Short mmCIF file of all heavy atoms in Angstrom, two decimals:
data_model
loop_
_atom_site.label_atom_id
_atom_site.label_comp_id
_atom_site.label_asym_id
_atom_site.label_seq_id
_atom_site.Cartn_x
_atom_site.Cartn_y
_atom_site.Cartn_z
N PRO Q 203 -4.90 12.95 -3.49
CA PRO Q 203 -4.93 14.41 -3.76
C PRO Q 203 -5.49 15.23 -2.58
O PRO Q 203 -6.31 16.08 -2.77
CB PRO Q 203 -5.87 14.50 -4.99
CG PRO Q 203 -6.78 13.34 -4.80
CD PRO Q 203 -5.98 12.22 -4.14
N THR Q 204 -4.98 14.90 -1.44
CA THR Q 204 -5.45 15.55 -0.21
C THR Q 204 -4.66 16.88 -0.08
O THR Q 204 -3.42 16.90 -0.05
CB THR Q 204 -5.18 14.68 1.04
OG1 THR Q 204 -3.85 14.14 0.90
CG2 THR Q 204 -6.16 13.56 1.13
N ASP Q 205 -5.36 17.99 0.04
CA ASP Q 205 -4.73 19.28 0.09
C ASP Q 205 -4.42 19.66 1.50
O ASP Q 205 -4.81 20.67 2.05
CB ASP Q 205 -5.69 20.33 -0.50
CG ASP Q 205 -4.95 21.52 -1.10
OD1 ASP Q 205 -3.73 21.45 -1.19
OD2 ASP Q 205 -5.63 22.53 -1.39
N ILE Q 206 -3.64 18.77 2.18
CA ILE Q 206 -3.36 18.89 3.60
C ILE Q 206 -2.66 20.22 3.91
O ILE Q 206 -2.87 20.90 4.93
CB ILE Q 206 -2.54 17.72 4.14
CG1 ILE Q 206 -3.35 16.38 3.91
CG2 ILE Q 206 -2.18 17.85 5.60
CD1 ILE Q 206 -2.59 15.12 4.28
N ARG Q 207 -1.81 20.67 2.93
CA ARG Q 207 -1.08 21.91 3.09
C ARG Q 207 -1.95 23.06 3.46
O ARG Q 207 -1.60 23.91 4.28
CB ARG Q 207 -0.44 22.23 1.70
CG ARG Q 207 0.56 23.28 1.63
CD ARG Q 207 1.12 23.36 0.23
NE ARG Q 207 0.11 23.83 -0.78
CZ ARG Q 207 0.38 23.93 -2.04
NH1 ARG Q 207 1.50 23.54 -2.54
NH2 ARG Q 207 -0.57 24.33 -2.88
N ASP Q 208 -3.18 23.10 2.97
CA ASP Q 208 -4.04 24.22 3.19
C ASP Q 208 -5.34 23.88 3.95
O ASP Q 208 -6.29 24.65 4.00
CB ASP Q 208 -4.50 24.84 1.83
CG ASP Q 208 -3.37 25.60 1.19
OD1 ASP Q 208 -2.55 26.22 1.92
OD2 ASP Q 208 -3.22 25.54 -0.03
N THR Q 209 -5.36 22.71 4.55
CA THR Q 209 -6.60 22.34 5.21
C THR Q 209 -6.77 22.98 6.58
O THR Q 209 -5.78 23.36 7.24
CB THR Q 209 -6.67 20.78 5.39
OG1 THR Q 209 -8.06 20.43 5.55
CG2 THR Q 209 -5.87 20.26 6.56
N ASN Q 210 -8.00 23.11 7.02
CA ASN Q 210 -8.31 23.58 8.34
C ASN Q 210 -8.68 22.46 9.30
O ASN Q 210 -8.76 22.63 10.49
CB ASN Q 210 -9.41 24.63 8.31
CG ASN Q 210 -8.96 25.91 7.60
OD1 ASN Q 210 -7.76 26.21 7.63
ND2 ASN Q 210 -9.88 26.63 7.00
N CYS Q 211 -9.06 21.36 8.67
CA CYS Q 211 -9.48 20.18 9.51
C CYS Q 211 -9.16 18.93 8.75
O CYS Q 211 -9.58 18.73 7.64
CB CYS Q 211 -10.97 20.33 9.78
SG CYS Q 211 -11.62 18.96 10.80
N LEU Q 212 -8.42 18.04 9.42
CA LEU Q 212 -8.03 16.78 8.85
C LEU Q 212 -8.62 15.66 9.71
O LEU Q 212 -8.33 15.59 10.92
CB LEU Q 212 -6.53 16.65 8.75
CG LEU Q 212 -5.91 15.32 8.28
CD1 LEU Q 212 -6.36 14.99 6.82
CD2 LEU Q 212 -4.41 15.35 8.36
N VAL Q 213 -9.42 14.79 9.08
CA VAL Q 213 -10.03 13.70 9.85
C VAL Q 213 -9.44 12.37 9.38
O VAL Q 213 -9.46 12.10 8.19
CB VAL Q 213 -11.58 13.68 9.60
CG1 VAL Q 213 -12.26 12.66 10.48
CG2 VAL Q 213 -12.20 15.05 9.84
N LEU Q 214 -8.87 11.64 10.31
CA LEU Q 214 -8.21 10.38 9.95
C LEU Q 214 -8.97 9.23 10.52
O LEU Q 214 -9.18 9.13 11.73
CB LEU Q 214 -6.80 10.38 10.54
CG LEU Q 214 -5.87 11.54 10.10
CD1 LEU Q 214 -4.53 11.51 10.90
CD2 LEU Q 214 -5.56 11.45 8.58
N ILE Q 215 -9.47 8.37 9.60
CA ILE Q 215 -10.24 7.19 10.05
C ILE Q 215 -9.26 6.00 9.98
O ILE Q 215 -9.08 5.38 8.94
CB ILE Q 215 -11.44 6.97 9.10
CG1 ILE Q 215 -12.23 8.23 8.80
CG2 ILE Q 215 -12.30 5.79 9.61
CD1 ILE Q 215 -13.05 8.72 9.97
N GLY Q 216 -8.61 5.71 11.11
CA GLY Q 216 -7.67 4.63 11.17
C GLY Q 216 -6.47 4.81 10.29
O GLY Q 216 -5.75 3.86 10.00
N SER Q 217 -6.26 6.00 9.83
CA SER Q 217 -5.14 6.32 8.94
C SER Q 217 -4.04 6.85 9.78
O SER Q 217 -4.20 7.83 10.43
CB SER Q 217 -5.64 7.34 7.91
OG SER Q 217 -4.68 7.51 6.94
N HIS Q 218 -2.88 6.16 9.79
CA HIS Q 218 -1.83 6.55 10.78
C HIS Q 218 -0.67 7.25 10.09
O HIS Q 218 0.50 6.79 10.13
CB HIS Q 218 -1.37 5.40 11.64
CG HIS Q 218 -0.98 4.18 10.94
ND1 HIS Q 218 -1.48 3.74 9.74
CD2 HIS Q 218 -0.03 3.20 11.26
CE1 HIS Q 218 -0.92 2.63 9.39
NE2 HIS Q 218 -0.04 2.30 10.32
N ILE Q 219 -0.98 8.39 9.47
CA ILE Q 219 0.05 9.19 8.86
C ILE Q 219 1.09 9.54 9.91
O ILE Q 219 0.75 9.96 11.06
CB ILE Q 219 -0.54 10.52 8.32
CG1 ILE Q 219 -1.63 10.22 7.27
CG2 ILE Q 219 0.54 11.40 7.73
CD1 ILE Q 219 -2.31 11.45 6.73
N GLY Q 220 2.34 9.41 9.55
CA GLY Q 220 3.39 9.64 10.60
C GLY Q 220 4.02 8.33 10.93
O GLY Q 220 5.26 8.27 11.16
N GLU Q 221 3.22 7.25 11.04
CA GLU Q 221 3.78 5.91 11.14
C GLU Q 221 3.76 5.34 9.76
O GLU Q 221 4.68 4.69 9.30
CB GLU Q 221 2.95 5.08 12.13
CG GLU Q 221 3.25 5.42 13.56
CD GLU Q 221 2.06 5.17 14.41
OE1 GLU Q 221 1.04 5.97 14.39
OE2 GLU Q 221 2.08 4.18 15.19
N ASN Q 222 2.66 5.61 9.01
CA ASN Q 222 2.63 5.32 7.60
C ASN Q 222 3.32 6.53 6.99
O ASN Q 222 2.74 7.60 6.91
CB ASN Q 222 1.19 5.21 7.13
CG ASN Q 222 1.10 4.70 5.72
OD1 ASN Q 222 2.10 4.47 5.08
ND2 ASN Q 222 -0.11 4.55 5.24
#
Side-chain angles (χ1 to χ4, degrees):
T204 44
D205 205 12
I206 299 177
R207 189 177 70 184
D208 287 324
T209 201
N210 292 332
C211 179
L212 175 63
V213 185
L214 302 173
I215 312 288
S217 187
H218 53 327
I219 301 177
E221 284 152 286
N222 190 359

